Amino acid sequence: MSTDIWLGWTYFILCALFALVGALATISSANPIRGAMGLLMMILSIAGLYLSLHAQFLAAIQLIVYAGAIVVLFLFVIMLLGPSAQAPSDSRARFPRAIGAGLFLLLGAGVVSWLVMLGQHISKETARLAAAGTWKPATVPSDFGGIDAFGKELFTKTLVPFELSSALLLVAVIGAIAVARSKHGDGAEKALPTAAALTEATPKEEASV
Amino acid sequence: MFATYGPMFLLLTVAALIALLFYTGATVLGPKNPTPDKMKPYECGSESSGGNHLKLSVKFYLTAILFVVFDIEAVFIYPWAVHFKTLGWTGLISMFSFLAVVIVALVYCVKKGALEWEK
Amino acid sequence: MNLFFALSPFLTLALGALLLMVAEAAAAGNGRGEKVRPGLALGAALTCFASCAAAAGVWFYGVERIEGLDVLQPWLIIDRFTLFFAGLLALGGGLASLLAGGYLPEHQIERGEFYALLLFSTLGALILAAAGDVLTLFLGLETMSLGVYALTAFRRASPRSAEAALKYFLLGSFAAALLLFGFALLYGATGHTDLAGLGQAVKTIASGALSGQAAGPTTLGAAAGPLVLFGFILVLAGLVFKVSAVPFHMWTPDAYEGAPTPATSFMAVAVKAGAFAVLLRVLLVCFGDKQSTSWANGWPAVIAWIAVLTMTVANLVAGRQESAKRMLAYSSIAHAGYLLVGVVATSRDGTAGTSGILFYLLGYTVATIGAFGGLILAGHRGAEAVSFEDLAGLGRRHPAAALPFALFLLSLAGVPPTAGFFGKWFILKAAMEGGFSVLTVVAFLNSVLGAYYYLKVLVYLYMREPGAGAPIATPMKSGYVNVALAVSAFFVVLIGLDPSRSLSVATRAAASLFGG
């Protein structure tokens, strides 16, 4: 194995490992702020993976939008909830949940083993086709993944989805204003009900709102 | 890949090394004399109060999510600016119709008072 | 220019919504002490109806005659199928905004954002129905869904509304993620994101799998088969969530009950119709070639099981509800089940099955809007009619309010001279002629079972009196709601009296999906 391939593998495995550790930290830590930090770690590692695919513009966007803005938004929401963001330990339905987790793990293991088999199959198939001369590795244009190629693609081929995305962003803005803006006395504090209020609410009370 | 991004990785490594150097240097070389008062969380020299979780107002959320949305819109403008000349009128019109929607969103935000810091 | 004409249903809606937003923002002044202009609901409704009229205009001009639509390829497909759904969805959105024009001021939750969200959700549903590529499909789906999530949470002071919106949002995002993951797998297996190319590649892979050769378009070879299958299952799960069929229906009753009633009616009508449009397109365009596919042969069977489960569970649970609004939520699940029977029927005779579905959706849209409108009309400020008890005796005290309500319920139940009856008839006929006799019988038995809970409302309306001390419902007065009810009633009766004309429209729309 040449040094370049070996370095590439090391880089990939490091990034993937960090991404996995970050994802596990996100879902397993009881402290939501630690969870958000795990998410940040995962996002950064995935940006690294994008880089290894030569998608440098995507990697930069990943850093700007996800690591920069989305994680901050997550932290804001966690801070919004205050100390109650810490989830109390929930001992209800422990047995079904364990079964669910077990089934999911089993499914995950099955998918992973299938993917490994698929990978072996693909490399065998590729080798066979390459030996027969019917397959060549795809050549990537030299500017692939850069802002140049991305812009050309975005503003020529994918113009329609680009224009449509403005509607999506607009809906996000209106939705945020509709849900989170505090006005008319029914203010921010009431917009986020406590758990007690949720359990107390009945259809009859609702009717009087 | 490493040929292309080599300088960037080099920069990252050097930055990490310098940070590590300062941190370990301060820990190893600096004289230490801990007292209970010194070990308390530092809060601008005054007595620290309250828990470490403070409750923010929902106003922060609105500002943050509006920031995210406009941030994403800004992302689209970079590649457009790169190709501004080659795209010609089509590019100009398509970007301006996109921006028109964004501007309506902005006007809506301002007029609705979503960007105001209410009390 | 041709392009703008072909896109006029979309552009009308988008421009109208933007203008309304600007007008509302200008009227809001500096953002303090704002009063919502009463014309906003009217403007929103007119925008939707204009979009509906634009769709009709393009339809009658003949979309085949319009040239220069290649620019849109493969992102948006403008054909009669799309135009039918554009008209239907815009009609649903317009009627829902009329309902909102009466409901929101009455219950003092009127804020201008409601109409903007409603219009852009409708636009998202239109994009969804026209989508010819996974990218536009997802954009349309999310535009529609984000708007509806916000509409569900619109009544901010109510914990129920917040809970409903949270459930809907989390589950909906999860379903969207499943859908996207499924499409990612399909892209990995075929190298296509456009539905037509995807369909071609799936066909190649499937025929290769059948003949035992590695004929896939990529080096995956025979391994592409399982990848496509796995992707297909995920895509189907995501779409079935959106139409709220049974294994993925859990969010429906809560979200429908927690949302303000006009938003509920919009969810029941436009979200469902948009999801069915995309379900039909994905199934028939990407996975339509059932003769050559050994494993894809499975989807009619899978959908048949989902349909049977959906109808049975929804009808059984709907009969046990205390709340009429929740009952209508379960009823909308049951209707998804009947529509899925039609989807199964498309596997034999595509045009007959699809036209049955389109006809059914037409009748379902107006009857559902009408039923929720009747529920809105039965309550007034501070006393929204929600439960069956609230409706007791309404028919004697206020016959004018109860009569249209009864008509829409009869249509939903499928009683003969209404639109609902013919919808069920065409779907069952297509299923029967397709050879799915067991499924037809199950669907028929279910519609008999379903009649029970609609009749229960009628019993409360006309044969019960409110209990002693119980609050007596007095109907609200609103021109907007009255107009919406009148339009819906007109369509229910018209389609019921002259089903052949609507059916021929539905058939032409369905035929365009098969290149006819």
Side-chain angles (χ1 to χ4, degrees):
Chain A
M1 230 188 249
S2 73
T3 335
D4 211 31
I5 294 179
W6 182 82
L7 258 177
W9 267 104
T10 320
Y11 178 76
F12 171 79
I13 285 173
L14 268 180
C15 282
L17 212 64
F18 274 117
L20 275 180
V21 170
L24 281 177
T26 309
I27 56 172
S28 62
S29 61
N31 184 339
I33 293 192
R34 289 215 180 113
M37 289 301 119
L39 186 71
L40 182 66
M41 182 169 157
M42 191 193 77
I43 286 168
L44 292 177
S45 323
I46 289 193
L49 286 179
Y50 287 154
L51 216 52
S52 72
L53 293 171
H54 266 274
Q56 37 183 312
F57 182 64
L58 194 59
I61 296 305
Q62 173 92 353
L63 291 187
I64 294 172
V65 174
Y66 281 83
I70 305 265
V71 171
V72 173
L73 186 64
F74 269 76
L75 286 173
F76 268 139
V77 173
I78 293 166
M79 297 299 246
L80 209 75
L81 299 174
S84 59
Q86 200 98 338
S89 72
D90 187 358
S91 59
R92 286 172 304 166
R94 200 168 268 177
F95 190 57
R97 282 197 298 183
I99 291 180
L103 279 178
F104 205 77
L105 272 181
L106 215 63
L107 184 76
V111 168
V112 166
S113 60
W114 178 63
L115 281 177
V116 168
M117 266 154 51
L118 190 69
Q120 285 169 348
H121 173 88
I122 290 173
S123 51
K124 249 195 305 187
E125 190 82 357
T126 317
R128 190 177 66 78
L129 290 175
T134 49
W135 181 82
K136 282 198 302 262
T139 50
V140 179
S142 60
D143 64 342
F144 174 82
I147 190 166
D148 223 27
F150 183 84
K152 212 178 286 169
E153 180 90 0
L154 183 67
F155 289 102
T156 52
K157 269 173 74 185
T158 58
L159 203 55
V160 177
F162 163 67
E163 296 292 340
L164 293 181
S165 66
S166 66
L168 178 59
L169 292 170
L170 188 59
V171 166
V173 169
I174 313 169
I177 294 176
V179 173
R181 191 181 53 122
S182 54
K183 269 278 164 66
H184 297 300
D186 72 78
E189 279 67 42
K190 274 199 274 175
L192 282 169
T194 58
L198 276 177
T199 45
E200 276 165 20
T202 62
K204 285 290 169 202
E205 279 172 316
E206 162 77 71
S208 64
V209 168
Chain B
M1 174 195 161
F2 290 96
T4 326
Y5 303 121
M8 195 193 76
F9 286 121
L10 193 67
L11 180 74
L12 281 179
T13 320
V14 170
L17 276 180
I18 289 176
L20 204 68
L21 187 75
F22 283 170
Y23 191 75
T24 47
T27 325
V28 174
L29 298 178
K32 276 188 278 307
N33 184 16
T35 63
D37 273 341
K38 279 187 190 172
M39 297 311 285
K40 274 196 207 158
Y42 179 71
E43 196 176 319
C44 297
S46 56
E47 287 280 310
S48 61
S49 60
N52 56 351
H53 262 133
L54 70 160
K55 197 167 172 174
L56 290 180
S57 161
V58 75
K59 289 177 283 191
F60 286 96
Y61 166 75
L62 186 58
T63 313
I65 202 158
L66 290 178
F67 166 67
V68 170
V69 172
F70 287 112
D71 196 25
I72 294 170
E73 280 162 353
V75 160
F76 283 118
I77 300 179
Y78 282 112
W80 176 73
V82 169
H83 283 280
F84 178 68
K85 277 194 179 151
T86 50
L87 287 172
W89 283 105
T90 331
L92 196 70
I93 292 169
S94 57
M95 182 43 93
F96 271 56
S97 53
F98 180 83
L99 284 180
V101 177
V102 175
I103 287 168
V104 169
L106 191 63
V107 167
Y108 198 73
C109 280
V110 171
K111 284 291 187 179
K112 280 274 174 178
L115 298 177
E116 276 172 52
W117 203 250
E118 308 154 34
K119 272 153 216 104
Chain C
M1 227 55 236
N2 281 337
L3 194 64
F4 287 115
F5 180 54
L7 286 178
S8 57
F10 300 81
L11 295 177
T12 317
L13 204 52
L15 286 179
L18 286 177
L19 278 178
L20 274 181
M21 277 176 71
V22 171
E24 191 216 335
N30 58 2
R32 306 202 172 281
E34 71 203 78
K35 279 295 275 184
V36 175
R37 297 293 153 106
L40 212 53
L42 187 67
L46 284 181
T47 304
C48 282
F49 292 140
S51 162
C52 189
V58 180
W59 173 287
F60 287 118
Y61 177 77
V63 69
E64 300 83 5
R65 284 164 58 198
I66 302 176
E67 284 167 14
L69 291 184
D70 308 340
V71 211
L72 296 175
Q73 292 291 348
W75 311 113
L76 293 176
I77 302 171
I78 309 291
D79 56 6
R80 286 188 186 271
F81 183 78
T82 302
L83 288 174
F84 182 90
F85 271 103
L88 183 70
L89 293 166
L91 180 71
L95 291 174
S97 35
L98 281 180
L99 290 186
Y103 177 91
L104 298 181
E106 180 74 19
H107 296 278
Q108 289 174 306
I109 49 171
E110 181 160 56
R111 278 172 290 139
E113 293 102 49
F114 192 94
Y115 303 103
L117 284 172
L118 194 72
L119 288 176
F120 277 105
S121 279
T122 315
L123 181 67
L126 252 67
I127 295 170
L128 188 61
D133 188 281
V134 172
L135 205 55
T136 38
L137 190 156
F138 192 70
L139 277 174
L141 186 76
E142 283 304 287
T143 308
M144 177 182 84
S145 304
L146 274 184
V148 175
Y149 301 146
L151 286 179
T152 310
F154 198 73
R155 201 194 310 237
R156 284 184 309 203
S158 149
R160 273 186 101 74
S161 190
E163 186 196 352
L166 190 65
K167 278 183 184 167
Y168 188 24
F169 174 64
L170 286 179
L171 291 175
S173 311
F174 193 64
L178 284 185
L179 186 80
L180 212 53
F181 190 43
F183 277 126
L185 291 181
L186 288 176
Y187 175 64
T190 64
H192 282 279
T193 58
D194 58 310
L195 298 184
L198 205 58
Q200 281 296 328
V202 166
K203 209 160 141 184
T204 321
I205 291 170
S207 59
L210 207 61
S211 57
Q213 290 168 339
T218 59
T219 47
L220 284 171
L227 208 56
V228 169
L229 184 61
F230 200 50
F232 174 65
I233 291 171
L234 290 174
V235 168
L236 192 66
L239 291 178
V240 162
F241 174 89
K242 286 290 167 196
V243 305
S244 67
V246 148
F248 307 100
H249 70 293
M250 305 294 189
W251 58 276
T252 317
D254 287 327
Y256 278 31
E257 197 183 13
T261 314
T264 312
S265 71
F266 181 75
M267 284 154 79
V269 165
V271 175
K272 192 154 293 196
F276 263 103
V278 74
L279 181 69
L280 281 172
R281 230 194 250 287
V282 167
L283 284 181
L284 297 175
V285 174
C286 293
F287 301 95
D289 193 39
K290 287 157 301 295
Q291 273 67 41
S292 65
T293 53
S294 55
W295 38 262
N297 229 342
W299 73 251
V302 173
I303 294 196
W305 274 109
I306 296 177
V308 168
L309 271 177
T310 306
M311 291 183 293
T312 316
V313 171
N315 279 326
L316 287 178
V317 182
R320 305 180 44 160
Q321 295 307 309
E322 303 269 309
S323 148
K325 200 171 171 185
R326 225 175 153 80
M327 181 279 280
L328 283 174
Y330 278 105
S331 124
S332 93
I333 303 176
H335 284 286
Y338 303 133
L339 285 159
L340 286 173
V341 173
V343 175
V344 176
T346 58
S347 63
R348 291 292 156 82
D349 183 351
T351 313
T354 311
S355 65
I357 293 172
L358 299 190
F359 185 94
Y360 194 104
L361 278 172
L362 192 62
Y364 168 79
T365 296
V366 283
T368 304
I369 289 273
F372 280 111
L375 203 59
I376 288 174
L377 201 63
H380 66 104
R381 180 168 296 174
E384 196 176 337
V386 176
S387 68
F388 287 110
E389 291 294 335
D390 292 337
L391 298 172
L394 193 73
R396 295 219 189 126
R397 279 177 283 119
H398 302 280
L403 190 67
F405 196 11
L407 171 75
F408 298 125
L409 289 171
L410 287 178
S411 177
L412 284 176
V415 172
T418 56
F421 167 74
F422 289 103
K424 285 206 175 66
W425 170 256
F426 291 132
I427 280 191
L428 291 184
K429 190 162 150 254
M432 197 70 197
E433 283 168 0
F436 302 100
S437 41
V438 178
L439 190 62
T440 316
V441 171
V442 173
F444 177 74
L445 288 179
N446 260 297
S447 59
V448 174
L449 184 66
Y452 159 75
Y453 51 83
Y454 296 116
L455 293 180
K456 190 169 149 193
V457 181
L458 293 186
V459 167
Y460 270 94
L461 279 179
Y462 286 100
M463 296 172 198
R464 291 277 177 92
E465 285 301 326
I472 293 172
T474 40
M476 60 181 279
K477 288 188 178 55
S478 160
Y480 281 128
V481 178
N482 290 343
V483 170
L485 289 184
V487 173
S488 307
F490 172 74
F491 276 112
V492 166
V493 173
L494 183 78
I495 299 168
L497 292 182
D498 185 13
S500 57
R501 186 170 307 181
S502 313
L503 185 68
S504 75
V505 169
T507 310
R508 283 186 81 183
S512 79
L513 198 58
F514 302 94

